[in-house]
Coordinates of all heavy atoms in Angstrom, one line a residue:
Chain A
R30 N 124.4 62.3 112.9 CA 125.8 62.0 113.1 C 126.7 63.2 112.6 O 127.6 63.6 113.2 CB 126.2 60.7 112.3 CG 125.8 59.4 113.0 CD 126.2 58.2 112.1 NE 127.6 58.2 111.9 CZ 128.5 57.5 112.7 NH1 128.0 56.9 113.7 NH2 129.8 57.5 112.4
N31 N 126.3 63.7 111.4 CA 127.1 64.8 110.8 C 127.0 66.1 111.7 O 127.9 66.8 111.8 CB 126.5 65.2 109.4 CG 127.3 64.4 108.4 OD1 128.5 64.1 108.5 ND2 126.6 64.1 107.3
Q32 N 125.8 66.2 112.3 CA 125.5 67.4 113.2 C 126.5 67.3 114.4 O 127.1 68.3 114.8 CB 124.1 67.3 113.6 CG 123.6 68.5 114.4 CD 122.1 68.3 114.7 OE1 121.4 67.5 114.1 NE2 121.6 69.1 115.7
V33 N 126.7 66.1 114.9 CA 127.6 65.9 116.0 C 129.0 66.1 115.6 O 129.8 66.8 116.3 CB 127.4 64.5 116.6 CG1 128.4 64.3 117.8 CG2 126.0 64.3 117.1
L34 N 129.4 65.6 114.4 CA 130.8 65.7 114.0 C 131.2 67.2 113.7 O 132.3 67.6 114.1 CB 131.0 64.9 112.7 CG 130.9 63.4 112.8 CD1 131.2 62.7 111.5 CD2 131.9 62.9 113.9
C35 N 130.2 67.9 113.1 CA 130.5 69.4 112.9 C 130.7 70.1 114.2 O 131.6 71.0 114.3 CB 129.4 70.0 112.0 SG 129.5 69.4 110.3
A36 N 129.8 69.9 115.1 CA 129.8 70.5 116.4 C 131.1 70.2 117.1 O 131.8 71.1 117.7 CB 128.6 70.1 117.3
A37 N 131.5 68.9 117.1 CA 132.7 68.5 117.8 C 133.9 69.1 117.1 O 134.8 69.6 117.9 CB 132.8 66.9 117.7
A38 N 134.0 69.1 115.8 CA 135.1 69.8 115.1 C 135.2 71.2 115.6 O 136.3 71.7 115.8 CB 134.9 69.7 113.6
D39 N 134.1 71.9 115.7 CA 134.1 73.3 116.1 C 134.6 73.4 117.5 O 135.4 74.3 117.8 CB 132.6 73.8 116.0 CG 132.5 75.3 116.3 OD1 133.4 76.0 115.8 OD2 131.6 75.7 116.9
C40 N 134.2 72.6 118.4 CA 134.7 72.6 119.8 C 136.1 72.3 119.9 O 136.9 72.9 120.7 CB 133.9 71.6 120.7 SG 132.2 72.0 120.9
F41 N 136.6 71.3 119.1 CA 138.0 70.9 119.2 C 138.9 72.1 118.7 O 140.0 72.4 119.3 CB 138.3 69.7 118.3 CG 137.7 68.4 118.8 CD1 137.4 67.4 117.9 CD2 137.3 68.3 120.1 CE1 136.8 66.2 118.3 CE2 136.6 67.1 120.5 CZ 136.4 66.1 119.6
R42 N 138.4 72.8 117.7 CA 139.2 74.0 117.2 C 139.2 75.1 118.3 O 140.2 75.7 118.5 CB 138.4 74.6 116.0 CG 139.0 74.1 114.6 CD 138.4 75.0 113.5 NE 136.9 74.7 113.4 CZ 136.4 73.9 112.6 NH1 137.1 73.2 111.7 NH2 135.1 73.7 112.5
R43 N 138.1 75.3 118.9 CA 138.0 76.4 119.9 C 138.6 76.1 121.2 O 139.3 77.0 121.8 CB 136.5 76.8 120.1 CG 136.0 77.7 119.0 CD 134.6 78.2 119.4 NE 133.6 77.2 119.4 CZ 133.0 76.7 120.5 NH1 133.3 77.2 121.7 NH2 132.1 75.8 120.5
K44 N 138.5 74.9 121.7 CA 138.9 74.5 123.1 C 140.1 73.6 123.1 O 140.6 73.3 124.2 CB 137.7 73.9 123.8 CG 136.5 74.8 124.0 CD 136.6 75.7 125.2 CE 135.4 76.6 125.3 NZ 134.9 76.7 126.7
G45 N 140.4 73.0 122.0 CA 141.4 71.9 122.0 C 140.6 70.6 122.2 O 139.5 70.6 122.8
Y46 N 141.2 69.5 121.7 CA 140.5 68.2 121.9 C 140.4 67.9 123.4 O 139.3 67.5 123.9 CB 141.4 67.1 121.2 CG 140.8 65.7 121.4 CD1 139.7 65.2 120.7 CD2 141.4 64.8 122.3 CE1 139.2 63.9 120.9 CE2 141.0 63.5 122.5 CZ 139.9 63.1 121.8 OH 139.4 61.8 122.0
H47 N 141.4 68.1 124.1 CA 141.4 67.8 125.6 C 140.4 68.7 126.3 O 139.7 68.2 127.2 CB 142.9 68.1 126.1 CG 143.1 67.5 127.4 ND1 143.3 66.2 127.6 CD2 143.2 68.1 128.6 CE1 143.5 66.0 128.9 NE2 143.4 67.1 129.6
G48 N 140.4 69.9 125.9 CA 139.5 70.9 126.6 C 138.0 70.8 126.3 O 137.2 71.4 127.0
A49 N 137.7 70.1 125.2 CA 136.3 70.1 124.8 C 135.6 68.8 125.3 O 135.9 67.7 124.8 CB 136.2 70.1 123.2
G50 N 134.7 69.0 126.2 CA 134.1 67.8 126.8 C 132.8 67.5 126.1 O 132.3 68.3 125.2
M51 N 132.1 66.4 126.4 CA 130.9 66.0 125.8 C 129.8 67.0 126.1 O 128.9 67.2 125.2 CB 130.5 64.6 126.3 CG 131.1 63.5 125.5 SD 130.7 63.5 123.7 CE 130.3 61.8 123.4

Side-chain angles (χ1 to χ4, degrees):
Chain A
R30 283 178 59 91
N31 270 330
Q32 190 178 339
V33 177
L34 293 182
C35 288
D39 187 40
C40 294
F41 296 157
R42 263 191 295 264
R43 278 188 294 111
K44 301 270 179 138
Y46 175 76
H47 194 76
M51 275 301 225

